[in-house]
Amino acid sequence: MSEIHLSLAGLGFRLFARDASVPLDLHPNYAAFVTPSGDADGGTYEVVTRETDLGAPSAPAAGPAWESFIWRLTDVDPDKRLLEIRDLPGDTYLKVAMLSADFGSGRILARRRLPQPMYAINYPEEQLILLNRLSHFDAGLIHSSGVVVDDRAYLFCGRSGAGKTTIERLWKAAGFRLLNDDRMVVRIIDGIPYACSTPWHGEDPEVHPERYPLGAVFHLNKAEENRLDPIEGAAAVARLYATTLAPFYSREGTLRVLDAYS
């Protein structure tokens, strides 16, 4: 048996394979997040190389609980969920993961996406599995860049083109530490909000696997002048959730993230 451990947002994740020939290679983005060993308090997943080894039914009795152009999620029974990815440019689906209802365990299909080599876990299933799991730990995956100033993290949120990468480059040029330019996690630990980096970046490949107490959150809008407009209360929660890659297709998942932000 072979295994690999990751640390993300203060949580440990374990990938393992019963057959030593099964590849446990990860995209280079993950290199800084790999740990020699550790707790698997975040989740444990077996990696397989054949779709039939997932243990998924060939035709689930129920229709998808959620379906988009890229992926769909089916509740096989109250305890299991099947994740499928559309095999573009066609209209068929590839079964990529059979997971527990809380996304904390299951089996994942290692697959190759040309021109990349075969990785144990790939986009988009990597983010779908982990963002659903993070929601069980008072955490949400934010579409934002993050920088460190005086041992506190500051997030700059916005959709693509809002200026996240531009503003983090300005901070970086001024000598401040960049955590990530596109994906950050906000997690409440012992009542304190922390900003945590992730392996998933945008234009700037520099990432640091660290977490810092959250200093402030800024929501970016392009304008002809620089201005700060304070946002408080429910409006602040709504704006933060609007830039969160949350499990919006799940009522329970949505409520968990909203409770954490509130």
Side-chain angles (χ1 to χ4, degrees):
M1 181 181 294
S2 55
E3 61 184 48
I4 190 169
H5 292 262
L6 298 169
S7 179
L8 178 63
L11 297 167
F13 295 89
R14 174 176 173 256
L15 299 172
F16 75 95
R18 300 181 192 277
D19 185 346
S21 66
V22 174
L24 286 183
D25 297 323
L26 298 172
H27 191 280
N29 290 357
Y30 284 91
F33 296 83
V34 173
T35 59
S37 62
D39 295 330
D41 48 354
T44 297
Y45 311 94
E46 180 180 359
V47 180
V48 299
T49 55
R50 295 180 299 182
E51 186 178 306
T52 53
D53 289 338
L54 290 175
S58 56
W66 169 261
E67 184 172 5
S68 71
F69 181 70
I70 299 176
W71 63 278
R72 69 185 181 190
L73 186 67
T74 302
D75 294 332
V76 175
D77 60 42
D79 299 318
K80 294 181 180 179
R81 293 177 173 176
L82 173 64
L83 177 60
E84 299 173 279
I85 302 298
R86 190 186 294 269
D87 189 17
L88 297 174
D91 197 37
T92 59
Y93 280 89
L94 175 67
K95 297 179 177 65
V96 295
M98 191 70 176
L99 303 156
S100 60
D102 64 359
F103 291 82
S105 62
R107 292 178 176 175
I108 299 172
L109 179 71
R111 59 192 180 95
R112 185 176 184 185
R113 298 184 65 197
L114 294 175
Q116 299 174 343
M118 181 178 285
Y119 291 133
I121 189 169
N122 294 272
Y123 177 85
E125 58 262 34
E126 55 182 2
Q127 291 190 42
L128 293 170
I129 293 170
L130 292 175
L131 73 86
N132 275 282
R133 188 57 183 154
L134 286 169
S135 73
H136 291 268
F137 294 91
D138 295 328
L141 180 61
I142 314 294
H143 197 186
S144 72
S145 58
V147 297
V148 180
V149 181
D150 296 333
D151 292 326
R152 300 187 76 84
Y154 294 82
L155 303 187
F156 299 91
C157 303
R159 300 185 182 278
S160 297
K164 298 186 302 298
T165 299
T166 298
I167 200 164
E168 63 86 5
R169 285 176 177 170
L170 292 173
W171 282 97
K172 187 176 175 181
F176 293 95
R177 187 171 180 81
L178 167 68
L179 292 176
N180 192 293
D181 78 334
D182 196 64
R183 296 285 197 277
M184 293 287 297
V185 169
V186 170
R187 183 184 173 204
I188 311 301
I189 304 175
D190 296 329
I192 300 173
Y194 283 84
C196 316
S197 184
T198 74
W200 313 302
H201 60 78
E203 296 179 20
D204 194 327
E206 181 180 351
V207 295
H208 295 285
E210 302 163 4
R211 67 176 186 267
Y212 290 87
L214 181 62
V217 177
F218 299 88
H219 298 279
L220 302 177
N221 291 298
K222 289 185 176 179
E224 295 183 357
E225 62 178 2
N226 295 326
R227 188 177 72 244
L228 288 177
D229 296 323
I231 307 174
E232 299 178 349
V237 173
R239 287 293 297 271
L240 186 58
Y241 188 81
T243 57
T244 298
L245 303 171
F248 55 86
Y249 40 83
S250 163
R251 181 178 184 274
E252 295 78 10
T254 296
L255 290 175
R256 284 195 297 270
V257 175
L258 287 174
D259 285 344
Y261 288 175
S262 300

